[in-house]
Amino acid sequence: MDYINAFWVGGVICALTQILMEKTKMLPGRIMVLLVCSGAVLGAVGIYQPLIDYAGAGASVPLLGFGNTLWKGIREAVDENGLLGIFMGGFTASAVGISAALVFGYLASLIFDPKMKS
């Protein structure tokens, strides 16, 4: 049942994002920022963690989950280091995910032949 919950919750998040892309004139970069910020706000309010507990990767993998991860890291760092934690927490919490994206992106560029759009 865990797989089914992850599938449908992740699908709903992606479908809503696709609808947002289709029905508005927002650029993809702005939509991505909106999703990350929304995940952070939903995490701060306490709504997103129960969704992650219910859906697992279906809620933690999309960009909303990245925003929630940033929020959790900042909250923990502020508890430990005070005001300086605002600047440290997001980097600490998301370092593994960002590093993986960089490494896999580099490997993909070695395997395939990337070209600039003209």
Side-chain angles (χ1 to χ4, degrees):
M1 197 63 184
D2 291 338
Y3 295 119
I4 293 171
N5 290 336
F7 180 77
W8 79 262
V9 169
V12 166
I13 292 170
C14 292
L16 291 174
T17 302
Q18 188 65 38
I19 291 169
L20 182 67
M21 290 175 69
E22 298 287 330
K23 298 296 181 186
T24 66
K25 296 182 187 225
M26 291 177 67
L27 298 173
R30 291 184 180 186
I31 292 174
M32 290 170 41
V33 169
L34 178 69
L35 290 171
V36 172
C37 293
S38 298
V41 169
L42 290 173
V45 174
I47 296 173
Y48 207 72
Q49 190 57 45
L51 186 63
I52 290 176
D53 294 339
Y54 175 74
S60 63
V61 170
L63 283 174
L64 289 168
F66 181 68
N68 184 54
T69 300
L70 290 174
W71 163 251
K72 286 193 298 188
I74 290 170
R75 186 186 63 217
E76 291 172 7
V78 166
D79 291 343
E80 289 178 14
N81 303 318
L83 189 61
L84 190 59
I86 292 173
F87 304 105
M88 297 170 37
F91 293 115
T92 305
S94 63
V96 172
I98 293 172
S99 298
L102 289 172
V103 168
F104 290 125
Y106 178 71
L107 290 175
S109 73
L110 292 176
I111 295 169
F112 302 102
D113 189 22
K115 293 182 177 62
M116 296 295 291
K117 285 186 175 182
S118 21

